[in-house]
Amino acid sequence: MTATPIKYDGRIDLRVRNNSHSISYALIEQHFDEAAGRILDVGCSTGYLGEALRQRGHRVVGVEPDRNSAEQARTRLDQVIVGTIEDFLAQTTGSERFDAMIFGDVLEHTADPAAVLRRCRSHLTERGIVVASVPNVAHVGVRAMLLAGRWDYDERGILDRTHLRFFTKASLVDLLEDAGYTVEAVVPVTLDVEQCGIQVDPGLVAQVRESARDEALDVFQYVALARLRAQPAVQSARSRFTAADRPRILCAPPLPEWSIGDIRLRNPLAAWTSWHGGAVRHASARQIHPADFDWANVVVLQREADPAVLALIDRCHAAGKYVVFDIDDLLTDVPDFLIAHQHSVWVRPYLVAALQQADLVTTTTERLAAELRTFNASVAVLPNCPRPVPVPSRHYEGGSEPIRLFVASSDTIRVDFLVPALRRLMADPGLSFNLIGIGPPGKYLMEAGLPVAALANVEYEHFGNFLAAHDNAIGLIPLDESGFSSCKSPIKYLDYSQAGLVTVCSAVPPYSDCVEDGLTGLLARNEPDAWYEAVASLARSASLRQRIATAARRKCQQDRSLRSAGDRWEAALKQMMQRPARAASRNSTAEPQPGQPKSALRKLRWLLGNLTQPGAYARAATILVREGPTGIARRVLRDR
């Protein structure tokens, strides 16, 4: 066998989620939970993925046809066999069985991948799995290339000149199912045309996007998890991923890109499609393409309501579509100390109407669900499930670095009782702290005269990894005792826990509902002395911090995984779609609240009505992102 220059090499960065190696790693880790297993990494290259798994405690055997790559892999893996997977199957006696086999961009290089997968069955344990990634030949770049009458091979990528087979999502599922496996998950890796390196006319790409508009357009690879099926004759599960009658969801939050939409909709629904099939497209409630509307049988709206949203709900029902309305705060009863209070009073009639007319209301906690059931009996609790953080913060004794205290919020929160406690902590000669305030709390603490590093809000997509990059860190989560706050989601606690931080939370709901005091976090009364004692006890003991942080992270991963979020969406959709969708409402308007200025109401109706115009919507969207609801409210009130 002739050695060739190394074609594929690198290091796996588990923080990069949109990557077939990170996805494969996560799928395997989820399968094994905390156990260790025996893994065969087929086409292991220089062993960078297998090395990460080996560091986790697994025994990893690599199969690699390139001698140069195999030599490097031997320094990383337990064993490396030089040759193809066909060579390995011909030479091995099958005495060693594996709990998992990885085919990372390998099957497309084989002449008969079905035969390879069938022969691999005898080398898997009873609960064995296969994790396979393949390029997606239905990518928009390939389709545009075909429109131009071209099929140009390349050195790597989707049209690698060494590829013998080509796959779509459906054909990958068929391959695995026909070979005697049950497909449990199919996860996409997305890249645009430029990132794929496909040279094609942008005009043709635009034509494909306009005419096709399907979910595979930007998918560069699919990563599938399939379990060994003990009896090949058993009914396959391929219908979950290929059946036309699965839910087709058009996700239409107020803005196409915002963190609440990612937390509540985009990430959980991505998990739902990966584990349960179905399909999701994304738009905004103001800019829905007619083809997307016609395609969907479920439309998901979120938080905001106005006459245009009510008209959209009527339009959905007139077309026989189900409407899901997602809401994560008690926006029907916003307290007057919050900046969005007046705005919430004005829009409340529209919000109530939207809640009443939805086929299903989805929300975050049982407390909030109980309040919302006064408007609609069909309420499903879908808890927030943050994305996992692969490398958590550490807690250790000694060293010169101070303890880091984080206080973060994207909105104003009550932190007045924290100030005396923080002053006392900072003055304690036996303790050393760096205080970091993110968002409005940072400004408040700075104005209170505390030595705080006041940072702007961190994009939610990067928040977990940002926290995890700071060792010996404690998250402080103060909250008031109002009914509105008691209905909130404990998302900050979940974010901190996933990142490996230990937390001190106000001893009020929702934190008193989910934190086991002393086990998965500390609960403190909203009094300065209580907060001082809680933080000081953690600052003095790295072992206490590590024990609590580890327990909290473990509980979060067990109870709040994205897979569990997908499972809950599947159950809620199934229950909703057993009933017929509602009929269109005859009354999509609502009267103003008493005391609302008529001139302001006219402005509000004018503004909301004109949001259907793309230019006006873009302007309003910018105001909303930069200034929040009060930015809209100020413009409504101007010159009243």
Side-chain angles (χ1 to χ4, degrees), residues 48-66:
Y48 47 88
L49 173 57
E51 180 182 38
L53 291 165
R54 189 167 180 255
Q55 290 172 350
R56 169 63 181 77
H58 303 289
R59 170 177 165 78
V60 182
V61 176
V63 176
E64 172 55 44
D66 179 70

Side-chain angles (χ1 to χ4, degrees), residues 82-93:
V82 180
T84 65
I85 181 59
E86 292 91 346
D87 296 332
F88 170 81
L89 292 170
Q91 296 168 10
T92 185
T93 62

Side-chain angles (χ1 to χ4, degrees), residues 333-467:
D333 189 19
V334 178
D336 57 11
F337 62 82
L338 291 180
I339 58 176
H341 169 72
Q342 191 60 59
H343 173 74
S344 72
V345 171
W346 293 343
V347 301
R348 187 180 189 278
Y350 307 113
L351 181 60
V352 169
L355 291 168
Q356 291 172 336
Q357 293 171 24
D359 296 279
L360 175 68
V361 175
T362 54
T363 194
T364 54
T365 69
E366 289 291 349
R367 288 180 182 271
L368 182 51
E371 297 288 340
L372 297 174
R373 288 189 182 106
T374 63
F375 307 110
N376 191 322
S378 299
V379 179
V381 177
L382 307 179
N384 283 334
C385 298
R387 277 183 161 177
V389 178
V391 184
S393 173
R394 302 173 302 152
H395 300 270
Y396 48 83
E397 303 281 4
S400 58
E401 291 188 3
I403 301 295
R404 295 174 173 87
L405 301 179
F406 282 92
V407 189
S409 178
S410 58
D411 201 352
T412 54
I413 57 172
R414 185 183 170 193
V415 292
D416 56 299
F417 51 82
L418 271 186
V419 172
L422 291 172
R423 286 196 178 119
R424 186 177 170 190
L425 288 163
M426 295 290 186
D428 193 318
L431 301 173
S432 177
F433 295 100
N434 278 347
L435 180 59
I436 303 168
I438 302 175
K443 180 181 179 182
Y444 181 93
L445 296 173
M446 179 179 288
E447 291 173 348
L450 285 163
V452 58
L455 308 179
N457 282 317
V458 178
E459 288 186 19
Y460 187 76
E461 175 72 14
H462 308 295
F463 186 61
N465 287 327
F466 169 79
L467 293 172

Side-chain angles (χ1 to χ4, degrees), residues 26 38 93 130 159 183 185 214 281 320 332 347 437 456 458 463 471 488 539 543 553 567 590 599 622:
R38 298 182 302 278
T93 62
V130 163
L159 297 182
V183 177
D214 60 75
R281 296 184 186 179
T332 57
V347 301
V458 178
F463 186 61
D471 291 337
K488 294 178 73 67
S543 61
R553 177 174 159 88
D567 293 344
S599 61
T622 301

Side-chain angles (χ1 to χ4, degrees), residues 214-351:
D214 60 75
E215 300 69 49
L217 287 177
D218 290 309
V219 176
F220 178 67
Q221 293 166 292
Y222 286 107
V223 185
L225 167 65
R227 189 180 298 276
L228 182 64
R229 196 162 64 235
Q231 299 177 355
V234 171
Q235 177 72 28
S236 77
R238 78 182 77 202
S239 60
R240 285 187 296 138
F241 299 99
T242 59
D245 60 352
R246 293 291 293 146
R248 301 181 301 279
I249 297 177
L250 178 59
C251 186
L255 296 174
E257 302 290 342
W258 69 334
S259 61
I260 297 174
D262 290 345
I263 298 168
R264 293 294 303 153
L265 302 180
R266 188 179 292 271
N267 296 340
L269 288 173
W272 170 72
T273 60
S274 295
W275 291 93
H276 295 280
V280 179
R281 296 184 186 179
H282 296 274
S284 85
R286 307 297 173 191
Q287 295 174 311
I288 295 178
H289 193 283
D292 293 337
F293 182 84
D294 294 340
W295 166 87
N297 55 15
V298 178
V299 176
V300 180
L301 305 172
Q302 189 181 37
R303 281 183 65 99
E304 298 293 328
D306 52 54
V309 168
L310 298 185
L312 175 58
I313 293 174
D314 267 0
R315 182 183 167 204
C316 291
H317 285 153
K321 303 179 189 298
Y322 293 91
V323 174
V324 177
F325 194 89
D326 182 74
I327 181 169
D328 63 328
D329 276 320
L330 187 57
L331 299 178
T332 57
D333 189 19
V334 178
D336 57 11
F337 62 82
L338 291 180
I339 58 176
H341 169 72
Q342 191 60 59
H343 173 74
S344 72
V345 171
W346 293 343
V347 301
R348 187 180 189 278
Y350 307 113
L351 181 60

